[in-house]
Amino acid sequence: MPGQNFDSKRRITVRNLRIREDIAKYLRNLDPNSAYYDPKTRAMRENPYANTGKNPDEVGYAGDNFVRYTGDTISMAQTQLFAWEAYDKGSEVHLQADPTKLELLYKSFKVKKEDFKAQQKESILEKYGGQEHLDAPPAELLLAQTEDYVEYSRHGTVIKGQEKAIACSKYEEDVKINNHTCIWGSYWKEGKWGYKCCHSFVKFSYCTGEAGKEIANGEASIMEEQPEEEEHMTKPKTLMEIHQEKQKEKKKKKHKKSSNSDSEGEEKKKQEKLKKALNAEEARLLHIKEIMQLDERKRPYNSQHEIREPTEEEMEAYRMKRQRPDDPMASFLGQ
């Protein structure tokens, strides 16, 4: 084998080193991100010039894997795969034992496979059709590439040749009616489409030309000069709308009267409750004074009276009648 030498004295195979004239693999590309060099096996499997943009066919060394995947290596691997598949199906063939038999068998297999694909394709086309789609022109012609020569200037105008025709739709285009020089939709303003030649927003109207433009511009300027009050003027109200507004006003008046009467009644009730609470508070204070004057042994037991939560009026009466000895104005409260 190349790169190896047989020693007759020791009866072992010795791997020779590289020839001095050959460049070392690890010196092919000094970039640390290039192909990995295995120092133990002296192997560099990937291409060291992969990141340089050079073609593998142009460099002197493209890695150890380049030799494995070029030449007859691929065809030999396909033949070996076919031999394994044929052996599994009952054919006794071997790449090393019967190479000629395997080669002939593999060639006949490829011919039969191509004939079977052609017959299958013909049967599908006969049954379903579609031969016209398979006979389509190449992709270059499908992209509208022709041999017509057209030369353009730097500004995009045609200098030599015929300019490419613009594709038209199935609908009628550039149809101008009623003396219009532009089509409908050529003018747009404030969310409306119209004719550019006369600034008219009415479709199928007769063209008025420059006079129509002046009128439209004059109306726009007048509308801009009007005050905001005139802009927000509404249409005259109908009888139904007037009747509904009157009904709403009546309801509002009734609601105000009812709310006022309710509030006055509530205030009267509150005042009456407050008077009752004040009278009850005065009676309670008098009762307490009488109890304080009696002897302690003759005082009644408090648990005999009913215990309940005081109302708001009773609390207000208590605050009004409460004595504050620390208050400098307390002497005037009793007057």
Side-chain angles (χ1 to χ4, degrees):
M1 294 180 68
Q4 294 181 352
N5 190 9
F6 183 73
D7 191 357
S8 59
K9 295 181 179 179
R10 298 183 180 180
R11 296 183 180 278
I12 58 175
T13 303
V14 181
R15 177 174 293 182
N16 295 331
L17 298 175
R18 63 178 177 83
I19 305 174
R20 292 180 179 274
E21 288 77 8
D22 292 343
I23 301 174
K25 297 177 181 178
Y26 51 83
L27 296 177
R28 295 277 181 176
N29 191 354
L30 300 179
D31 187 3
N33 296 324
S34 63
Y36 172 72
Y37 175 74
D38 188 4
K40 185 175 181 180
T41 58
R42 299 188 181 92
M44 182 180 286
R45 295 172 180 81
E46 297 180 359
N47 183 9
Y49 302 102
N51 298 330
T52 59
K54 296 181 180 180
N55 190 2
D57 297 331
E58 297 176 356
V59 297
Y61 177 76
D64 298 338
N65 290 339
F66 181 77
V67 180
R68 299 177 184 177
Y69 300 112
T70 55
D72 294 336
T73 308
I74 300 174
S75 61
M76 187 175 180
Q78 293 175 353
T79 308
Q80 180 66 65
L81 181 62
F82 171 75
W84 289 338
E85 293 177 353
Y87 185 80
D88 292 339
K89 294 178 181 179
S91 300
E92 295 183 357
V93 289
H94 197 273
L95 180 62
Q96 282 78 25
D98 294 327
T100 307
K101 180 180 178 181
L102 178 62
E103 186 69 21
L104 294 174
L105 186 63
Y106 184 52
K107 287 182 179 180
S108 63
F109 168 76
K110 288 194 289 184
V111 172
K112 291 180 181 179
K113 185 177 180 180
E114 291 177 358
D115 294 342
F116 174 75
K117 285 184 177 181
Q119 292 176 2
Q120 191 178 21
K121 181 179 178 181
E122 291 177 359
S123 63
I124 292 172
L125 291 175
E126 289 177 359
K127 186 175 182 180
Y128 300 103
Q131 183 65 34
E132 63 276 7
H133 301 290
L134 298 177
D135 297 337
E140 292 80 7
L141 297 178
L142 291 175
L143 297 175
Q145 294 182 359
T146 61
E147 295 181 357
D148 297 336
Y149 178 77
V150 181
E151 187 175 348
Y152 295 90
S153 66
R154 65 177 65 185
H155 303 292
T157 57
V158 179
I159 299 175
K160 186 178 180 181
Q162 187 177 2
E163 191 174 3
K164 184 179 177 182
I166 301 173
C168 299
S169 64
K170 63 180 181 180
Y171 302 101
E172 293 182 355
E173 295 181 358
D174 298 335
V175 178
K176 301 166 186 176
I177 58 175
N178 296 336
N179 201 28
H180 285 287
T181 57
C182 297
I183 60 171
W184 167 259
S186 58
Y187 181 68
W188 185 89
K189 186 179 180 181
E190 297 179 356
K192 297 179 182 179
W193 293 100
Y195 295 98
K196 187 179 180 181
C197 54
C198 59
H199 291 185
S200 175
F201 298 107
V202 182
K203 197 172 184 181
F204 301 112
S205 63
Y206 193 82
C207 182
T208 55
E210 296 296 330
K213 288 184 180 181
E214 292 176 358
I215 294 170
N217 296 330
E219 290 179 356
S221 60
I222 291 170
M223 291 297 291
E224 290 176 358
E225 292 175 359
Q226 287 179 350
E228 295 182 357
E229 295 180 358
E230 294 182 0
E231 290 181 358
H232 296 287
M233 288 178 64
T234 57
K235 296 180 180 179
K237 296 180 180 179
T238 60
L239 295 174
M240 189 67 183
E241 292 175 354
I242 294 169
H243 178 69
Q244 290 177 356
E245 288 181 357
K246 289 181 178 179
Q247 293 292 333
K248 287 180 181 179
E249 290 177 357
K250 288 181 180 179
K251 288 182 180 179
K252 287 180 180 178
K253 290 180 181 179
K254 288 181 181 180
H255 182 69
K256 287 181 180 179
K257 290 180 180 179
S258 61
S259 61
N260 293 332
S261 60
D262 294 340
S263 61
E264 290 176 358
E266 290 177 358
E267 288 178 359
K268 289 180 180 180
K269 289 180 181 179
K270 286 183 180 180
Q271 290 177 0
E272 291 176 358
K273 289 182 180 179
L274 185 58
K275 287 180 181 179
K276 291 180 181 179
L278 288 170
N279 296 331
E281 184 66 18
E282 289 177 357
R284 189 182 69 82
L285 293 173
L286 292 172
H287 183 63
I288 290 171
K289 287 180 181 179
E290 292 176 357
I291 292 171
M292 293 296 292
Q293 292 176 359
L294 296 174
D295 191 13
E296 293 180 358
R297 296 177 183 178
K298 296 180 180 180
R299 289 181 185 177
Y301 189 56
N302 294 332
S303 62
Q304 294 178 0
H305 300 283
E306 183 181 358
I307 300 173
R308 62 181 179 80
E309 184 179 358
T311 61
E312 294 182 0
E313 289 78 10
E314 292 176 354
M315 292 296 296
E316 184 66 22
Y318 170 74
R319 294 190 191 97
M320 293 172 68
K321 295 292 183 179
R322 184 176 58 180
Q323 292 183 0
R324 299 175 178 84
D326 298 335
D327 190 357
M329 301 296 292
S331 59
F332 295 97
L333 295 174
Q335 295 179 1

